[in-house]
Amino acid sequence: MHIGLIGLGKMGFNMRERLRNGGVEVTGYDRNPDVTDAASIDELLAAVPTPRLIWVMVPAGDITDAVIKELGEKLDEGDLVIDGGNSRFTEDQKHGELLAAKGIHFADCGVSGGVWGLQNGYGLMAGGDAADIERALPVFDALRPEGDRADSFVHVGGIGAGHYAKMVHNGIEYGLMQAYAEGYQLLASKDIISDLPGTFRAWQKGTVVRSWLLDLLVKALDEDPGLQNIDDYVEDSGEGRWTVEEAIANAIPAPAITAALFARFESREDSSPAMKMVSALRHQFGGHATRPAK
Amino acid sequence: MHIGLIGLGKMGFNMRERLRNGGVEVTGYDRNPDVTDAASIDELLAAVPTPRLIWVMVPAGDITDAVIKELGEKLDEGDLVIDGGNSRFTEDQKHGELLAAKGIHFADCGVSGGVWGLQNGYGLMAGGDAADIERALPVFDALRPEGDRADSFVHVGGIGAGHYAKMVHNGIEYGLMQAYAEGYQLLASKDIISDLPGTFRAWQKGTVVRSWLLDLLVKALDEDPGLQNIDDYVEDSGEGRWTVEEAIANAIPAPAITAALFARFESREDSSPAMKMVSALRHQFGGHATRPAK
Amino acid sequence: MHIGLIGLGKMGFNMRERLRNGGVEVTGYDRNPDVTDAASIDELLAAVPTPRLIWVMVPAGDITDAVIKELGEKLDEGDLVIDGGNSRFTEDQKHGELLAAKGIHFADCGVSGGVWGLQNGYGLMAGGDAADIERALPVFDALRPEGDRADSFVHVGGIGAGHYAKMVHNGIEYGLMQAYAEGYQLLASKDIISDLPGTFRAWQKGTVVRSWLLDLLVKALDEDPGLQNIDDYVEDSGEGRWTVEEAIANAIPAPAITAALFARFESREDSSPAMKMVSALRHQFGGHATRPAK
Amino acid sequence: MHIGLIGLGKMGFNMRERLRNGGVEVTGYDRNPDVTDAASIDELLAAVPTPRLIWVMVPAGDITDAVIKELGEKLDEGDLVIDGGNSRFTEDQKHGELLAAKGIHFADCGVSGGVWGLQNGYGLMAGGDAADIERALPVFDALRPEGDRADSFVHVGGIGAGHYAKMVHNGIEYGLMQAYAEGYQLLASKDIISDLPGTFRAWQKGTVVRSWLLDLLVKALDEDPGLQNIDDYVEDSGEGRWTVEEAIANAIPAPAITAALFARFESREDSSPAMKMVSALRHQFGGHATRPAK
């Protein structure tokens, strides 16, 4: 099998290597000349045998949109595009229709595993028609960990379902990280805990909270036991927001995931206008002193 | 009527004045010689006719506890002590028993109104035996606003009930302030809002959200339209914590009040250990850059 | 002044009456023949002198959209449309452009006050061009409570700003109601509180939490002291969701308002799939018994 | 090594078996004659060689307290008591002092692993003096999984530290379960997800959210794919409450763990007094219909 892979960033670069290790021939394209195989998308399309399978692995939003529109103009009937990035599931349905109008097939695939995927394999959630998913199975099999396919790959449903599942996966991930992080702060603030990194380490086998994220937490404390070198500013990349928006759209309470999202927002504020107002109100009714702004 | 008032701080000082304006004779005691009427508690007790009514208005916790123990040793059978401070309701039951053992009566009274109480009158929530509450009615009537007694005074229940009601009142207050504060930040962050103080001002009459706290919010923005001079660090004085602890003890969900409490805790953190950990985890699995600690 | 008013439902019907009481001539149109003045929108437009001022007071979303499109086809250059319903602010910008293309002016106005507005007057937040707002001042003045205009009316900013402010107003309203409601449950669950309605009544004057919503809460307990006849199912009408979505879009933490929204979602669930899963997990790891589904 | 084990319930029974499999001689006592080895605590104490090591594995609270007091009266100087139950850490300090006054040693040990511990081994967090912990190492080694001791056992700190760590562990567990459960509801509510159990199954290898709890979630869906037979009523056993209380006591925000706790409280309410009040308020100001109570 020989596929095209557009996007060789942090994720795509590693995926190309894992695919090749797994026996899939890959022609990759990236704007970065140091990593690209093809000089242009046109050159990539010329290199890949038809009917083509083109895996798109570029940043969600405008860039994915532009790449898929370009492919819509350049691909042939019967080709298959798989968006493996973190697109919002609502985008998939638009992209599927756009390509279908030209006889081009489309599927979406949520990919989890981060920088460890090269070594461990990626967890994959695919959305699309059964025949398209079937056709891409050799690619999925090369990307995922060894062992039972069902433990690391799922055909979730129609177009968009893979990214929906990945969005929820990331929402859960926010909640899990927040839970560990709150526990970390509780332990780190208590004098009677004299072996903080050792406590987390001892949770790795046997306890109910053992997980891969816990293993990474232990690794992080190995590298920097008091997290001295890390600021508390935390970015988000969209999926957490979308998860809460979906919760709202479907009238589903999601308080823990939302708490995790808001904690990130708070982490980025130098000063909270809301809490200035609470301070101002306490001063107004109770004569409580306010602190002068820094 | 002639009562003793122990504690002439921010609240007690104003209450003495309002009581005197309302025709109640007051002998006040405070450690601060500039404001005290009596040189000592003993002198105060000598000045007040028996059976005495002694209103205690000192900081909750150890100081209230010490004053009530001292009164337990010095008062006579039939005297009545009213704790008007912000004691936890569980303290009242202990104090009531301590004094009852000596034939001294005890009641508790939650007092709301802040620095405006002198002018507006105070909202009062009393706990204790009906006869004791009856006996203190002239004091309550002088402290509360004019008009129907039921609009500003309530005999909530037995000993501790007044402070329980005041605790919940303050828990609600946390939630109300947080709601206004979140709305303030949403408006303050939006470019299309060109008259931010005017928006709050226009809510004062007619809207569903009109309230006394809103009036104070308008006043705060009058004094400092962008809250430029106020830091976002917000203290808490205990009642919010107790409210959430009571929610937990009674298995009652209280998410909005708890959100308000946690927002204050967050406001005091220079750096959040929890969010450092979230940042560290994102780096571990996703290779996302962390910011170096400031 | 003589205006057209489209929509004579719970809000519009009362507003027509208040406008007429305030000296504004109103021709109203509603699909309900029992309340309408004009037999059709065409008839209404014929009755109102040009340049016309047409106030739209119909349900937000598709119905508002359809009415404004119809007005776009039927109005003349120089006419002014004011959308006084609960439209999302993003709709206003579309409607403004649609009408502007035909020389028709557009403004939006958030209206608060509920069923009490007829009697008390409405709080008003307007968005649009200064000249358009100026032109409609007699209408605003008739609708709002007597007294200083600035206490009940504000020109918030450009088109959409009025509805943005109203959206945030309603988000705050969610938070305020939730705070009182949590406090109510805490008091209602405590045996030592022997006068629950009296406690809220006594908060009406003097306390920090006094507000119009508190007055309504007292009224509700007057009518049904234990809320025996009311189910705990709570609807939402959109503005709370939009407020949280705006918070997310602007990376602003809004935990109390969001808690209020989620509490409503929870109130509507007969059974929570999420909590079934928590129960299932506890059973899996701890052998804790699950309850059989009802 | 030969120890005494008091309490042979769901946890203690399995632990006795694992200890014996690991070469530790155990005399167990339980009030249940079907499982006990000794007819009484006295008989157990007679059977265990001095200086004795007695492991207490009974329900936290009054029962643990009573057992430790009884041991305080019956044990000899130099004996060592380890409380392996889920006691609150503040209890440990009392118990340690009580026993120390008689020359009896005390340590606490948080034990995680649930019903799977017999097979997998238990995660262990111990608090106490180094010499006491050292002395009990053969017991810890038999209970924990094979492999590096540091991956499943930690000497956290002084007396109480083990239970503090276990309390936080359980608080994290609440948050993790809630995050998965919210994600489950989001997926279960979405029509485009056509293979819900398969989605979770596919997360087990490769994804960021893989964990032991996820494996159990997959097992739960294997047994009952729609959780049809499980009610959404979820108990709590105290550690989650204590975790939030510790967060409050230390002014640490813990929004995700608290959300998980409150979700359990909500799951137990047939009808929410708070939400009845919100419904009543909406009716009062907006004329919104309330639903009649069921």
Side-chain angles (χ1 to χ4, degrees):
Chain A
M1 188 160 220
H2 181 173
I3 72 165
L5 173 56
I6 299 175
L8 300 167
K10 214 156 40 180
M11 289 293 285
F13 185 88
N14 281 347
M15 288 166 74
R16 179 175 59 178
E17 190 168 344
R18 186 167 176 95
L19 284 166
R20 286 175 175 166
N21 294 344
V24 176
E25 197 171 340
V26 182
T27 301
Y29 170 73
D30 196 275
R31 286 177 308 185
N32 175 357
D34 295 342
V35 298
T36 196
D37 300 317
S40 66
I41 287 189
D42 289 329
E43 194 178 301
L44 175 141
L45 297 183
V48 177
T50 56
R52 301 180 189 88
L53 195 166
I54 308 295
W55 188 287
V56 178
M57 206 67 204
V58 298
D62 292 346
I63 299 180
T64 293
D65 205 52
V67 166
I68 286 178
K69 280 178 180 148
E70 184 175 351
L71 290 174
E73 286 159 20
K74 296 181 170 171
L75 288 180
D76 297 312
E77 223 179 297
D79 287 348
L80 168 61
V81 175
I82 299 180
D83 178 4
N86 271 327
S87 296
R88 195 164 186 168
F89 75 101
T90 45
E91 291 295 293
D92 295 319
Q93 287 150 359
K94 288 193 285 181
H95 291 149
E97 285 168 26
L98 182 102
L99 296 177
K102 306 186 174 187
I104 306 165
H105 299 232
F106 177 77
D108 59 286
C109 185
V111 178
S112 179
V115 293
W116 296 86
L118 169 56
Q119 173 182 330
N120 296 341
Y122 300 89
L124 304 171
M125 301 140 248
D129 288 343
D132 294 326
I133 302 302
E134 180 79 18
R135 177 171 157 195
L137 273 183
V139 176
F140 298 135
D141 282 343
L143 286 173
R144 65 179 184 80
E146 288 171 26
D148 279 355
R149 184 185 284 153
D151 289 349
S152 55
F153 170 80
V154 61
H155 178 197
V156 183
I159 288 176
H163 277 143
Y164 191 89
K166 178 57 168 30
M167 175 195 79
V168 174
H169 165 282
N170 282 29
I172 292 171
E173 184 187 296
Y174 275 58
L176 302 182
M177 284 195 281
Q178 183 69 20
Y180 285 117
E182 293 176 7
Y184 168 75
Q185 185 169 356
L186 281 161
L187 290 171
S189 307
K190 195 77 185 178
D191 283 343
I192 60 168
I193 305 299
S194 52
D195 186 358
L196 177 60
T199 299
F200 286 100
R201 179 178 311 282
W203 289 353
Q204 290 183 283
K205 298 264 190 304
T207 72
V208 174
V209 303
R210 64 192 191 258
S211 71
W212 188 59
L213 277 167
L214 178 70
D215 296 340
L216 295 180
L217 187 158
V218 169
K219 199 164 164 300
L221 291 178
D222 270 352
E223 294 172 8
D224 182 356
L227 304 182
Q228 308 277 351
N229 303 316
I230 292 178
D231 192 68
D232 68 344
Y233 184 106
V234 186
E235 287 283 2
D236 76 289
S237 50
E239 298 90 348
R241 299 183 186 210
W242 302 339
T243 304
V244 179
E245 287 170 358
E246 275 301 302
I248 292 170
N250 294 286
I252 292 173
I257 293 174
T258 306
L261 181 65
F262 285 166
R264 295 192 181 189
F265 293 166
E266 282 148 12
S267 80
R268 298 182 214 155
E269 294 187 328
D270 281 331
S271 174
S272 160
M275 300 318 288
K276 281 172 171 246
M277 179 51 84
V278 174
S279 185
L281 286 172
R282 291 184 84 235
H283 175 69
Q284 287 292 335
F285 72 72
H288 302 286
T290 56
R291 293 197 174 195
K294 277 176 286 232
Chain B
M1 189 160 217
H2 180 174
I3 71 165
L5 174 56
I6 299 175
L8 301 166
K10 212 156 41 179
M11 289 293 286
F13 185 88
N14 280 349
M15 288 166 74
R16 177 175 61 178
E17 190 166 344
R18 186 165 177 96
L19 284 165
R20 286 174 176 166
N21 294 345
V24 176
E25 196 170 342
V26 182
T27 300
Y29 170 73
D30 195 275
R31 285 177 308 184
N32 175 357
D34 294 342
V35 298
T36 196
D37 301 317
S40 65
I41 288 189
D42 289 328
E43 195 179 299
L44 175 142
L45 297 183
V48 177
T50 56
R52 300 180 190 88
L53 194 166
I54 308 295
W55 187 289
V56 178
M57 206 68 202
V58 297
D62 292 346
I63 299 180
T64 293
D65 204 52
V67 166
I68 286 177
K69 280 177 180 149
E70 184 175 350
L71 290 174
E73 285 158 21
K74 295 182 170 170
L75 288 180
D76 297 310
E77 223 178 296
D79 286 349
L80 169 61
V81 175
I82 298 179
D83 178 4
N86 271 326
S87 295
R88 195 164 187 169
F89 75 100
T90 45
E91 290 294 294
D92 296 318
Q93 288 151 358
K94 287 194 286 182
H95 291 149
E97 285 169 25
L98 182 104
L99 296 177
K102 306 186 174 185
I104 306 165
H105 299 232
F106 178 78
D108 60 286
C109 186
V111 178
S112 178
V115 293
W116 295 86
L118 169 56
Q119 173 182 330
N120 296 342
Y122 300 90
L124 304 171
M125 303 139 247
D129 288 342
D132 294 327
I133 302 302
E134 181 79 18
R135 177 170 156 195
L137 273 183
V139 177
F140 297 135
D141 282 343
L143 287 172
R144 66 178 183 78
E146 286 170 28
D148 280 355
R149 184 185 284 153
D151 290 349
S152 56
F153 170 82
V154 60
H155 177 197
V156 184
I159 288 176
H163 277 142
Y164 191 90
K166 178 58 168 33
M167 174 194 79
V168 173
H169 165 282
N170 282 30
I172 292 171
E173 185 187 295
Y174 276 58
L176 302 181
M177 285 195 281
Q178 182 69 21
Y180 285 118
E182 293 176 6
Y184 168 75
Q185 185 168 357
L186 281 161
L187 289 171
S189 307
K190 195 77 185 177
D191 283 344
I192 61 168
I193 305 300
S194 52
D195 186 359
L196 177 60
T199 299
F200 286 100
R201 179 179 310 282
W203 289 353
Q204 290 183 283
K205 297 265 190 305
T207 72
V208 175
V209 304
R210 64 192 191 258
S211 71
W212 189 58
L213 277 167
L214 178 71
D215 295 341
L216 294 180
L217 187 159
V218 169
K219 199 164 165 298
L221 291 178
D222 270 351
E223 295 171 8
D224 182 357
L227 304 183
Q228 309 276 352
N229 303 316
I230 292 178
D231 192 68
D232 67 345
Y233 184 105
V234 187
E235 287 283 3
D236 76 289
S237 51
E239 299 88 350
R241 299 182 187 212
W242 303 339
T243 304
V244 179
E245 287 170 358
E246 275 302 302
I248 292 171
N250 294 285
I252 292 172
I257 293 174
T258 306
L261 181 65
F262 285 166
R264 294 192 181 189
F265 293 167
E266 282 148 12
S267 80
R268 297 180 215 158
E269 294 187 329
D270 280 331
S271 174
S272 161
M275 299 319 288
K276 281 172 171 249
M277 178 52 83
V278 174
S279 185
L281 286 172
R282 291 184 84 236
H283 175 68
Q284 288 292 334
F285 72 72
H288 301 286
T290 56
R291 293 197 175 195
K294 276 175 287 229
Chain C
M1 187 159 221
H2 180 175
I3 71 164
L5 173 56
I6 299 176
L8 300 166
K10 213 155 42 180
M11 289 293 284
F13 185 87
N14 281 348
M15 288 166 74
R16 177 175 61 179
E17 190 167 344
R18 187 165 176 96
L19 284 165
R20 286 174 175 167
N21 294 344
V24 175
E25 197 171 342
V26 181
T27 300
Y29 170 74
D30 196 275
R31 284 177 310 184
N32 175 358
D34 294 343
V35 298
T36 196
D37 300 318
S40 65
I41 287 190
D42 289 328
E43 195 178 299
L44 175 142
L45 296 183
V48 176
T50 56
R52 300 180 190 90
L53 193 166
I54 308 295
W55 187 288
V56 178
M57 206 68 203
V58 297
D62 291 346
I63 300 181
T64 293
D65 204 51
V67 167
I68 286 177
K69 280 177 180 149
E70 184 175 349
L71 290 174
E73 286 159 20
K74 296 181 169 171
L75 288 179
D76 297 310
E77 225 180 293
D79 287 348
L80 168 60
V81 174
I82 299 180
D83 178 4
N86 271 326
S87 295
R88 196 164 186 169
F89 75 101
T90 45
E91 291 295 294
D92 296 319
Q93 288 150 358
K94 287 193 286 180
H95 292 148
E97 285 169 25
L98 182 103
L99 296 177
K102 306 186 174 186
I104 306 164
H105 299 232
F106 178 77
D108 59 287
C109 185
V111 177
S112 178
V115 294
W116 295 87
L118 168 56
Q119 174 181 329
N120 297 342
Y122 301 90
L124 304 171
M125 302 138 248
D129 287 343
D132 294 327
I133 302 302
E134 180 78 19
R135 176 170 158 195
L137 272 183
V139 176
F140 297 135
D141 281 343
L143 287 173
R144 66 177 184 79
E146 287 171 26
D148 280 355
R149 183 185 284 152
D151 291 347
S152 56
F153 170 82
V154 61
H155 178 198
V156 184
I159 289 177
H163 277 143
Y164 191 91
K166 178 59 168 29
M167 175 195 78
V168 173
H169 165 282
N170 281 31
I172 292 171
E173 184 186 295
Y174 275 58
L176 302 181
M177 284 196 280
Q178 183 68 21
Y180 285 118
E182 293 176 6
Y184 169 75
Q185 184 167 358
L186 281 162
L187 289 171
S189 306
K190 194 78 184 177
D191 283 343
I192 61 168
I193 304 301
S194 51
D195 186 359
L196 177 60
T199 299
F200 286 100
R201 180 178 310 282
W203 289 353
Q204 290 183 283
K205 298 265 189 306
T207 73
V208 175
V209 303
R210 65 190 189 261
S211 71
W212 189 58
L213 278 167
L214 178 71
D215 295 341
L216 294 179
L217 187 159
V218 169
K219 199 165 165 298
L221 291 178
D222 270 351
E223 296 171 7
D224 181 357
L227 304 183
Q228 308 276 350
N229 303 316
I230 291 177
D231 192 69
D232 67 344
Y233 184 105
V234 186
E235 287 283 2
D236 76 288
S237 50
E239 298 89 349
R241 299 183 187 210
W242 303 339
T243 304
V244 179
E245 288 170 358
E246 274 303 302
I248 292 170
N250 294 286
I252 292 172
I257 293 173
T258 306
L261 181 66
F262 285 166
R264 294 191 182 190
F265 293 166
E266 282 148 10
S267 80
R268 297 180 214 158
E269 294 188 329
D270 280 331
S271 175
S272 160
M275 300 319 288
K276 281 172 171 248
M277 179 51 84
V278 174
S279 185
L281 287 172
R282 290 184 84 234
H283 176 68
Q284 288 292 334
F285 72 72
H288 301 287
T290 56
R291 292 198 175 194
K294 276 174 285 229
Chain D
M1 189 160 218
H2 181 174
I3 72 164
L5 174 56
I6 298 175
L8 300 167
K10 214 156 40 179
M11 288 294 285
F13 185 86
N14 281 348
M15 289 167 73
R16 178 175 60 179
E17 191 168 343
R18 187 167 176 95
L19 285 165
R20 286 175 177 167
N21 293 345
V24 175
E25 196 171 343
V26 182
T27 300
Y29 169 74
D30 196 275
R31 284 177 308 184
N32 176 358
D34 295 342
V35 298
T36 196
D37 300 318
S40 65
I41 288 189
D42 288 330
E43 196 178 298
L44 175 141
L45 297 183
V48 176
T50 56
R52 300 180 190 89
L53 193 166
I54 308 295
W55 187 288
V56 178
M57 206 68 203
V58 298
D62 292 345
I63 299 180
T64 293
D65 205 51
V67 167
I68 286 177
K69 280 178 179 148
E70 184 175 350
L71 290 174
E73 286 158 21
K74 295 181 170 171
L75 287 179
D76 297 312
E77 224 179 295
D79 287 349
L80 169 61
V81 174
I82 299 180
D83 177 5
N86 270 327
S87 296
R88 196 165 185 166
F89 76 101
T90 44
E91 290 294 294
D92 295 320
Q93 287 150 358
K94 288 193 286 180
H95 291 149
E97 285 168 25
L98 182 103
L99 296 177
K102 306 185 175 187
I104 305 164
H105 299 231
F106 178 78
D108 59 286
C109 185
V111 177
S112 179
V115 294
W116 295 86
L118 169 56
Q119 173 182 328
N120 297 342
Y122 300 90
L124 303 171
M125 302 139 248
D129 288 343
D132 293 327
I133 302 302
E134 181 79 17
R135 176 169 157 194
L137 273 184
V139 176
F140 297 136
D141 281 343
L143 287 174
R144 66 178 183 79
E146 287 171 27
D148 279 356
R149 183 185 284 153
D151 290 348
S152 55
F153 170 82
V154 61
H155 178 198
V156 183
I159 288 177
H163 278 142
Y164 191 90
K166 178 59 167 30
M167 174 195 79
V168 173
H169 164 283
N170 282 29
I172 292 172
E173 183 186 296
Y174 275 58
L176 302 181
M177 285 196 280
Q178 183 68 22
Y180 285 118
E182 293 176 6
Y184 168 75
Q185 184 167 358
L186 282 162
L187 289 172
S189 307
K190 195 77 184 179
D191 283 344
I192 60 167
I193 305 300
S194 50
D195 186 359
L196 178 61
T199 299
F200 286 100
R201 180 179 309 283
W203 289 353
Q204 290 183 281
K205 298 265 189 306
T207 73
V208 175
V209 303
R210 64 191 191 259
S211 72
W212 188 58
L213 278 167
L214 178 70
D215 295 341
L216 294 179
L217 187 158
V218 169
K219 198 164 165 298
L221 291 178
D222 270 352
E223 296 171 7
D224 181 357
L227 304 182
Q228 308 277 351
N229 303 315
I230 291 177
D231 193 68
D232 67 344
Y233 184 105
V234 186
E235 288 283 2
D236 76 288
S237 50
E239 298 89 348
R241 298 183 187 211
W242 303 338
T243 304
V244 178
E245 288 170 358
E246 274 302 303
I248 292 171
N250 294 286
I252 292 173
I257 293 173
T258 305
L261 181 66
F262 285 165
R264 294 192 182 190
F265 293 166
E266 282 148 10
S267 80
R268 298 180 214 157
E269 294 188 328
D270 280 332
S271 174
S272 160
M275 300 318 288
K276 280 173 172 247
M277 179 51 85
V278 174
S279 184
L281 287 172
R282 291 184 84 235
H283 175 68
Q284 288 292 335
F285 71 72
H288 301 288
T290 55
R291 292 198 174 193
K294 276 176 287 233

